[in-house]
Amino acid sequence: MKYNKLQEEALKSTIQQDFFKDYKYTQLGNIDFVIAKSIVDDQGFTFFDDLDTNKLISILWAEAKRGTNHDIYESFVQLILTIGKEQTFAKYHPPKYIGAFDADKFAFIEYNNIQHVFFQNDFNWSVTPSNHDTKEFKQLYTLCKNLLEENTILFHYNENARDLQKFIRTNFNKEKGTTETISVTKNNFTFVFQRWLKVVKPTIDIDWTKANKANILEADFFLADLLSSENKSLKDKLYVVLKNTKYELGKKIDEMGLVSKREVTFNDKQKAYKAFWSIYTRPPKEIYWDYIIGRRDLLVTPDIREREGSFFTPQIWVEKSQQYLTEVLGENWQDEYYIWDNCGGTGNLENGLANKRNIWVSTLEEADVNIMKELTTKGLNLFENHIFKFDFLNDDFIPLSKGGKMPDELFEIVHNPEKRKKLVIYINPPYKEATSAKTVSGTGTNISGVSIENKTYNKYKSLMKDASKELSAQFIMRIYKEIPDCVIGVFSKLKLWVSSNFIKFREEYNAEFKKMFVVPSNTFDNVTGRYPIGFSIWDLSKLKTKSPYLVADSFDAKGQYIEKRKFFELDCQTITINPWIKKIDIAENDIIGYMENPTPDFQDNDFLCILNEKGTRNNNYSKINKETLTVNSIYLSVRLCIKHTWLNDRDQFLAPNDRWKTDRTFQGNCLIYMLFHGQNRIMSSKGVNHWIPFTEEQVGCNKSFTSNFMSKYIADFKAGKVTIIPQRQELLPTEKIESNPVEFSPEAQAVYDAGLELWKYYHSQSRANPNASFYDIRMYFQGSKNGKMNTKSSDEKYTEFITDLRNKLKILASKIAPKVYEYGFLKS
């Protein structure tokens, strides 16, 4: 363990000498451990130190940590955040591996396993990578953890030093080479594309704004260049092909029935083009062609990806969805049913389907049509004439023989009532709304041409109301109305089937639910957040049976079964917890704080907190005084006592039944839970602190507190002298309910006692503030960085006290949790 006592710089230097001494060692921005090789041209000029030439060939980018007690996956996530924040992948050739190491271990993962992470929609890369407490860090950790666990190669120096050396010798090409060009691989093709956008794109003589609106994208010109030899594209079925000094776009039939070509030339006689491609070897090795074509989505610019809102369906869920279709429709369903994927992208949903005579795939972009046709020569089991360009939200159902876009045989199936009963619409439609997250924050604009400006929206918006802004809802409603009696197998967010904003949609969509499974959203590329995505099967020929919930099988990111899960459907009669608390929000005088009331589901629980004054977020806040304190503690406790997971992310908290009103033990548990929860953010610096649960004598403070409100309230609560249920509201009884004396439950008393020990220790400090709040005490011992409280403290005794308190708080939470369901705050 010779590395244990080394500081970080010394550790990096020593590791480099022990394992990487035959390689170049440098730094790229804040990636401070980079292993690379020199590229030397035929004149002997070394490009290694001339980073602007982009001829630095990295083999490894790594994150280093001194010491041994580090979560290697957290180190990887910090590195990924660093790369994403600095856009290193767009400035320099990506490496074969990224890595993370400390004084005990070194781990590697191939770059191509994580490169899709850098192309997420609406992810905030501007946070500090070293701050592991940010929402973005935790979000990225959740997104990456499973793929890191599955693909990381880990070596411990003590046990595996020789294995590590062998791994490096085998996988790191240390030959300096005398090549003047760089090979394009599945690791670096996205980087080459980013450079191509800067150098070659401006010289292509086309109006890109108009071209993009017509779904003619930069990616298709790049593929035409990349998959070429001697200035001629090798793939004639690409939507754009290179022909010497010009590009040819996909052929079309003009009004006279003649085949016409659309040509695009260069505005600089290919000067920039030739200079750019002189650096790279093209075409890539043929083993990479299918991968690069199949992942064209990684070459689509972020604004286009956001506008379209579509996602690449992972193969694990493609296989699972086809398994479920088999369970519902029978073993021979692929022979007995027709299949139409009307938002097919590049056809990855069709992988595994066997009977190509019965499969049709349509997609919005001509380029994707051409890619699918190309992939049919590489194993995609489709007939070329069953692949067609079709804008499902705008185009009419007109057969090709009558000037439309739909193949005649599919048109016959769609319009024949008997054949239609044997049609499966099998889709993963876009999950996009009319506005993006940027719109909500005021940094963006509505996405034009996505939801508002299409025929389906205009036709059905009066039926769907708010749901009409959701693209997936538009797809399903058009299918339901215009292709009746078919079967739908659809990937979607669960809000379609349970959310209050989709009540009108569900009232109109009267199909029979057959089967569903749900999986974590972050297993899909470009999807951030932690929520369930479901694949559900519906029979449109039968009416839905009345049920307050849908039952789904749930699977983790590796495809392992978790449990059966109920997802409850909200209807017009459902009252959520926020209207309930608003009826109780009657405090006018002697306000001691405010509680934020965010959207009533698990996904927004992080915003739920107790504050001295209203915050700046556009949210509801309830006022807290003696009359409303206990009820507010119930609101906070029932929302926070159950752990937020991806499975319960969209579960709605509801107005309860009446049984909680006479359960004094439950009320006391909630009161104590709120006082010692980390979301209690009362600060003495922002006004009088009324939230000290103890007396001066209890904590050993020789100065008087400015307020003894809370310790007196606790005493009065236990004596039955406080009003638990405020008067003058509709949802709670107007008659007086006796507040009988009660002792705290053992679990609540244990939390109270652990809190008392913490307060005593704090007041033994020479700089203790007599009016310190729970938040102040934690800040005192833990300190802060960049305005945020640190997660740990160097004070071992404090760490012992706060750990004990948190453990007892978890036990109290487990005592409260069953009551959340018993009293109807959540359905079970």
Side-chain angles (χ1 to χ4, degrees):
M1 301 295 286
K2 66 176 183 177
Y3 307 123
N4 279 11
K5 296 182 180 180
L6 297 179
Q7 296 297 314
E8 186 172 306
E9 289 303 318
L11 175 65
K12 289 188 293 185
S13 177
T14 306
I15 290 293
Q16 191 266 331
Q17 285 298 311
D18 286 356
F19 296 101
F20 300 96
K21 63 182 179 181
D22 294 329
Y23 305 89
K24 292 286 184 178
Y25 170 46
T26 188
Q27 181 172 338
L28 293 179
N30 285 314
I31 304 174
D32 52 11
F33 192 88
V34 175
I35 298 299
K37 63 178 180 178
S38 302
I39 295 297
V40 184
D41 70 4
D42 52 7
Q43 274 87 51
F45 183 78
T46 300
F47 289 96
F48 177 80
D49 295 318
D50 186 3
L51 301 185
D52 290 337
T53 67
N54 292 293
K55 291 196 174 183
L56 168 66
I57 302 300
S58 299
I59 309 173
L60 172 71
W61 294 345
E63 175 68 30
K65 297 286 184 186
R66 63 181 291 266
T68 60
N69 298 320
H70 297 285
D71 180 335
I72 204 73
Y73 302 132
E74 285 191 351
S75 298
F76 270 119
V77 171
Q78 181 174 330
L79 175 62
I80 292 168
L81 267 174
T82 301
I83 296 168
K85 181 176 183 177
E86 299 182 356
Q87 296 283 288
T88 319
F89 63 90
K91 299 174 183 176
Y92 303 103
H93 283 275
K96 184 176 182 180
Y97 295 98
I98 65 168
F101 66 95
D102 60 16
D104 170 59
K105 54 193 174 291
F106 206 121
F108 303 85
I109 184 172
E110 289 192 29
Y111 176 83
N112 67 279
N113 284 319
I114 59 94
Q115 67 177 337
H116 66 274
V117 173
F118 301 117
F119 298 91
Q120 297 176 77
N121 295 338
D122 290 336
F123 184 78
N124 175 23
W125 290 101
S126 64
V127 297
T128 303
S130 59
N131 185 352
H132 294 193
D133 294 325
T134 63
K135 178 185 72 175
E136 288 79 7
F137 188 96
K138 294 174 181 177
Q139 185 175 310
L140 199 57
Y141 185 90
T142 303
L143 175 66
C144 296
K145 189 171 187 292
N146 287 319
L147 69 87
L148 289 170
E149 288 176 344
E150 291 178 6
N151 297 289
T152 295
I153 304 165
L154 178 64
F155 300 93
H156 290 271
Y157 308 126
N158 272 5
E159 298 89 359
N160 313 119
R162 288 187 178 180
D163 293 331
L164 173 56
Q165 290 167 340
K166 182 178 179 181
F167 174 83
I168 294 169
R169 285 196 307 269
T170 303
N171 295 283
F172 286 35
N173 181 2
K174 68 181 180 181
E175 294 180 6
K176 293 185 177 181
T178 57
T179 177
E180 62 279 341
T181 60
I182 298 166
S183 297
V184 181
T185 70
K186 63 182 181 180
N187 282 334
N188 67 9
F189 77 98
T190 57
F191 162 79
V192 179
F193 173 63
Q194 296 298 324
R195 302 299 302 170
W196 180 94
L197 288 174
K198 294 179 180 179
V199 177
V200 179
K201 175 188 170 181
T203 70
I204 298 174
D205 195 10
I206 191 172
D207 185 328
W208 288 106
T209 301
K210 292 180 180 178
N212 287 169
K213 287 182 179 178
N215 289 312
I216 299 170
L217 305 181
E218 294 88 338
D220 301 306
F221 286 82
F222 173 73
L223 289 175
D225 282 1
L226 180 64
L227 301 174
S228 69
S229 177
E230 297 180 356
N231 273 16
K232 291 184 180 180
S233 294
L234 300 172
K235 295 286 188 180
D236 288 338
K237 293 174 184 175
L238 295 175
Y239 183 54
V240 177
V241 295
L242 178 67
K243 295 289 182 72
N244 296 314
T245 60
K246 62 188 176 184
Y247 298 97
E248 288 184 2
L249 278 63
K251 298 175 182 179
K252 68 175 183 177
I253 306 297
D254 65 19
E255 295 177 356
M256 298 178 64
L258 300 174
V259 175
S260 62
K261 298 177 181 177
R262 292 173 287 178
E263 297 182 347
V264 178
T265 58
F266 294 87
N267 58 29
D268 70 341
K269 298 182 179 181
Q270 284 189 307
K271 182 179 178 181
Y273 165 91
K274 291 176 181 177
F276 179 83
W277 286 112
S278 69
I279 299 174
Y280 301 100
T281 301
R282 57 175 176 156
K285 291 181 180 179
E286 194 164 353
I287 58 172
Y288 300 131
W289 290 11
D290 291 345
Y291 178 86
I292 292 171
I293 292 173
R295 292 318 310 264
R296 173 181 172 272
D297 61 306
L298 297 180
L299 303 177
V300 176
T301 53
D303 60 318
I304 300 293
R305 285 202 309 275
E306 182 176 279
R307 189 184 77 205
E308 293 180 351
S310 55
F311 304 109
F312 188 88
T313 315
Q315 187 60 32
I316 184 175
W317 308 136
V318 172
E319 293 172 5
K320 186 71 70 179
S321 66
Q322 292 172 13
Q323 172 194 331
Y324 271 57
L325 284 165
T326 301
E327 291 175 7
V328 170
L329 302 177
E331 288 290 336
N332 299 318
W333 77 277
Q334 292 194 47
D335 295 323
E336 297 172 357
Y337 284 81
Y338 308 104
I339 301 167
W340 180 18
D341 179 356
N342 55 37
C343 40
T346 54
N348 72 307
L349 203 58
E350 282 59 61
N351 286 320
L353 296 179
N355 187 3
K356 62 183 179 181
R357 293 182 180 278
N358 285 3
I359 306 168
W360 284 264
V361 183
S362 61
T363 187
L364 183 65
E365 294 186 24
E366 187 72 37
D368 285 341
V369 170
N370 285 276
I371 284 174
M372 277 191 280
K373 288 182 177 180
E374 172 61 35
L375 292 175
T376 60
T377 67
K378 298 290 185 178
L380 184 61
N381 194 32
L382 296 172
F383 284 120
E384 281 194 33
N385 63 345
H386 285 202
I387 304 168
F388 60 105
K389 183 179 184 298
F390 193 81
D391 183 348
F392 190 79
L393 298 182
N394 281 300
D395 289 340
D396 295 323
F397 296 164
I398 301 173
L400 281 170
S401 60
K402 294 187 178 180
K405 298 180 179 180
M406 183 179 285
D408 287 37
E409 190 177 355
L410 179 60
F411 177 83
E412 167 63 18
I413 294 167
V414 168
H415 284 78
N416 184 310
E418 290 305 312
K419 289 186 176 181
R420 205 163 52 225
K421 292 178 182 178
K422 290 292 185 178
L423 174 62
V424 177
I425 306 293
Y426 178 39
I427 52 174
N428 183 7
Y431 309 154
K432 203 66 191 176
E433 294 186 46
T435 57
S436 69
K438 293 178 181 177
T439 310
V440 176
S441 65
T443 60
T445 58
N446 285 359
I447 305 172
S448 62
V450 176
S451 296
I452 303 294
E453 300 173 9
N454 69 64
K455 290 181 180 178
T456 301
Y457 170 83
N458 291 325
K459 190 171 184 178
Y460 298 115
K461 62 183 178 181
S462 62
L463 296 179
M464 295 195 291
K465 303 299 182 184
D466 289 345
S468 62
K469 298 177 181 179
E470 177 76 24
L471 280 178
S472 56
Q474 292 179 22
F475 271 86
I476 293 170
M477 187 55 67
R478 186 181 187 193
I479 295 166
Y480 178 75
K481 290 293 186 180
E482 300 179 31
I483 316 177
D485 299 331
C486 70
V487 173
I488 296 180
V490 57
F491 286 91
S492 68
K493 293 182 180 179
L494 295 193
K495 62 182 178 180
L496 272 70
W497 318 122
V498 298
S499 167
S500 58
N501 283 343
F502 288 75
I503 290 173
K504 290 297 182 183
F505 167 83
R506 293 193 295 274
E507 288 176 351
E508 196 66 34
Y509 180 73
N510 196 20
E512 182 181 70
F513 170 75
K514 304 298 290 185
K515 198 173 181 69
M516 179 163 68
F517 68 85
V518 295
V519 299
S521 59
N522 54 26
T523 57
F524 288 71
D525 286 1
N526 304 327
V527 180
T528 56
R530 300 166 61 235
Y531 55 85
I533 288 179
F535 177 76
S536 54
I537 303 171
W538 304 81
D539 187 344
L540 274 57
S541 69
K542 298 177 183 178
L543 299 180
K544 72 172 73 170
T545 54
K546 287 292 182 182
S547 175
Y549 55 81
L550 301 177
V551 177
D553 298 323
S554 58
F555 295 89
D556 66 18
K558 296 180 181 179
Q560 298 297 312
Y561 178 78
I562 301 174
E563 64 181 5
K564 283 200 177 295
R565 189 70 159 67
K566 292 178 181 177
F567 292 94
F568 288 88
E569 179 180 330
L570 299 188
D571 56 30
C572 293
Q573 285 72 49
T574 304
I575 301 173
T576 64
I577 198 171
N578 279 0
W580 175 78
I581 197 68
K582 290 303 291 183
K583 293 290 184 180
I584 303 168
D585 186 20
I586 64 170
E588 298 295 340
N589 302 311
D590 302 321
I591 308 299
I592 63 168
Y594 294 84
M595 182 172 65
E596 183 166 354
N597 310 136
T599 305
D601 51 27
F602 277 93
Q603 65 174 321
D604 280 328
N605 272 358
D606 286 346
F607 299 115
L608 173 54
C609 57
I610 305 294
L611 302 166
N612 297 71
E613 53 197 24
K614 291 183 181 181
T616 57
R617 280 169 39 85
N618 293 324
N619 239 331
N620 295 319
Y621 292 84
S622 53
K623 301 182 288 292
I624 304 175
N625 69 358
K626 182 176 181 178
E627 213 176 358
T628 64
L629 175 58
T630 296
V631 177
N632 275 280
S633 76
I634 292 170
Y635 178 98
L636 180 140
S637 299
V638 300
R639 291 196 59 170
L640 297 182
C641 70
I642 298 171
K643 184 180 179 180
H644 174 202
T645 68
W646 69 267
L647 256 179
N648 66 21
D649 181 75
R650 305 301 160 100
D651 287 1
Q652 299 279 310
F653 291 92
L654 307 174
N657 57 46
D658 289 341
R659 281 177 282 171
W660 69 273
K661 300 171 187 173
T662 54
D663 188 340
R664 299 275 284 123
T665 301
F666 169 71
Q667 295 164 9
N669 286 343
C670 291
L671 175 62
I672 295 299
Y673 189 79
M674 177 180 70
L675 292 177
F676 296 97
H677 195 282
Q679 295 298 85
N680 181 344
R681 298 176 185 168
I682 294 293
M683 297 183 231
S684 60
S685 61
K686 294 193 173 183
V688 176
N689 174 20
H690 300 286
W691 295 76
I692 304 174
F694 313 105
T695 64
E696 293 90 340
E697 292 76 19
Q698 283 179 292
V699 301
C701 181
N702 56 12
K703 297 180 181 178
S704 63
F705 300 155
T706 304
S707 170
N708 290 107
F709 170 90
M710 195 58 68
S711 60
K712 186 176 187 307
Y713 184 90
I714 291 172
D716 288 345
F717 176 91
K718 296 173 73 173
K721 296 180 181 179
V722 299
T723 303
I724 301 301
I725 303 174
Q727 308 299 302
R728 307 191 314 276
Q729 339 88 52
E730 299 169 15
L731 294 183
L732 297 175
T734 55
E735 70 273 12
K736 183 181 173 83
I737 292 182
E738 294 298 326
S739 181
N740 300 317
V742 65
E743 291 297 321
F744 286 142
S745 70
E747 294 82 4
Q749 189 63 49
V751 171
Y752 182 86
D753 293 343
L756 178 57
E757 293 305 311
L758 177 63
W759 248 267
K760 285 181 179 178
Y761 181 64
Y762 170 74
H763 282 286
S764 69
Q765 309 297 307
S766 60
R767 296 185 294 111
N769 170 12
N771 293 303
S773 66
F774 182 41
Y775 182 92
D776 295 335
I777 292 173
R778 291 186 295 131
M779 181 64 79
Y780 176 87
F781 288 109
Q782 293 174 208
S784 63
K785 186 177 181 181
N786 299 323
K788 295 196 69 173
M789 187 186 298
N790 297 325
T791 57
K792 297 178 181 179
S793 170
S794 59
D795 188 310
E796 293 183 2
K797 199 157 185 64
Y798 164 77
T799 300
E800 180 182 328
F801 284 130
I802 195 69
T803 300
D804 182 53
L805 174 59
R806 287 168 178 165
N807 289 338
K808 288 181 167 61
L809 199 69
K810 289 178 183 177
I811 296 171
L812 179 58
S814 68
K815 186 77 172 179
I816 297 170
K819 300 295 184 180
V820 175
Y821 296 99
E822 181 181 340
Y823 297 152
F825 291 101
L826 286 175
K827 291 184 177 182
S828 63

